[in-house]
Amino acid sequence: MFALVESGTITQFPKGNKGITIGDNQYPKTIYSLWTEAERNAIGIYTVEIDSTNRKDEEFYVNTNITYAFGSGKVTGSYGTATAKRLNDEDAVDDNGDKVKDADGNQVINYGLKTQYKNKFNTEAAGLLSRTDWYVIKAADVGSYSVPSNIATYRAAVRTKVNAMETSIDGCSDVAALITLLTYTKDSEGVVSRPLGEFPDEVV
């Protein structure tokens, strides 16, 4: 990305895919690929340098638009302070501040990060359990058959773990705590893990 600076002010952002007219001079598009940065700077064209210091993971934060500035001989694009997404659910409202109802008259809820992640892990747990559902179905259909103890233990462990995950997520006081809970790290012995933990190994 490039910027044209005239009299100390950014006037346009050439894409670099076609020539450009600056004052009375017409320049071909090859200035973006064949000229050095110093040569482009001499006619007022600068490569935009993006400062991502304030940019945060969009899974958890809303980043600002980039603002551009010229100074100290370069053009910089910078993010403002990112805003953390909501942790908790809230009632949906319209532009007038009135609560939004669905077709059945129920309040529409805007889910926060906690509910979104609890739903994610509940879906994962349901997927794990579905692979051994046939044992339970067979036990219900065939009186002489019982779910193997290792399968029953595994299914109980999945439910216990997802409940513990929900409790841990609900205990997060801010977005930073949720990120820590979900983030994998490697210890001194090379073991990779996260505070939230994992579901038990599958037993089929």
Side-chain angles (χ1 to χ4, degrees), residues 2-203:
F2 301 92
L4 173 61
V5 176
E6 298 177 286
S7 300
T9 301
I10 300 171
T11 57
Q12 60 177 289
F13 294 96
K15 294 182 179 180
N17 59 352
K18 61 181 181 179
I20 185 172
T21 300
I22 304 175
D24 296 326
N25 299 310
Q26 173 69 38
Y27 298 93
K29 66 179 181 180
T30 52
I31 65 173
Y32 301 106
S33 58
L34 299 182
W35 286 25
T36 66
E37 182 68 18
E39 289 172 330
R40 285 193 295 268
N41 291 172
I43 62 171
I45 293 178
Y46 295 79
T47 300
V48 177
E49 300 177 19
I50 301 298
D51 179 0
S52 297
T53 302
N54 291 329
R55 188 178 187 279
K56 294 191 175 183
D57 188 341
E58 293 180 353
E59 182 76 15
F60 304 98
Y61 292 88
V62 177
N63 290 298
T64 67
N65 292 327
I66 299 175
T67 57
Y68 300 92
F70 174 69
S72 301
K74 63 181 181 180
V75 174
T76 304
S78 304
Y79 289 90
T81 302
T83 303
K85 292 184 177 180
R86 286 182 299 101
L87 272 179
N88 301 306
D89 300 344
E90 67 176 14
D91 291 346
V93 296
D94 60 23
D95 293 339
N96 295 321
D98 298 321
K99 293 189 175 184
V100 177
K101 307 289 185 178
D102 63 19
D104 296 321
N106 300 312
Q107 174 64 46
V108 175
I109 303 298
N110 290 328
Y111 294 131
L113 288 173
K114 287 183 179 181
T115 294
Q116 292 175 36
Y117 273 95
K118 287 190 292 184
N119 288 344
K120 174 181 181 296
F121 290 115
N122 272 301
T123 298
E124 187 175 344
L128 293 172
L129 291 172
S130 69
R131 297 167 194 169
T132 55
D133 280 349
W134 70 271
Y135 288 101
V136 178
I137 295 170
K138 182 177 179 180
D141 289 345
V142 181
S144 61
Y145 179 81
S146 297
V147 177
S149 60
N150 65 323
I151 298 298
T153 298
Y154 166 73
R155 289 173 66 86
V158 169
R159 292 190 176 94
T160 297
K161 183 58 187 178
V162 77
N163 289 338
M165 286 175 162
E166 286 190 288
T167 298
S168 295
I169 291 170
D170 279 332
C172 293
S173 59
D174 53 31
V175 168
L178 179 61
I179 293 173
T180 297
L181 190 67
L182 299 168
T183 300
Y184 286 95
T185 57
K186 183 184 293 186
D187 65 18
S188 58
E189 297 181 353
V191 177
V192 177
S193 63
R194 62 182 176 185
L196 186 68
E198 306 295 335
F199 285 105
D201 293 335
E202 288 189 67
V203 177

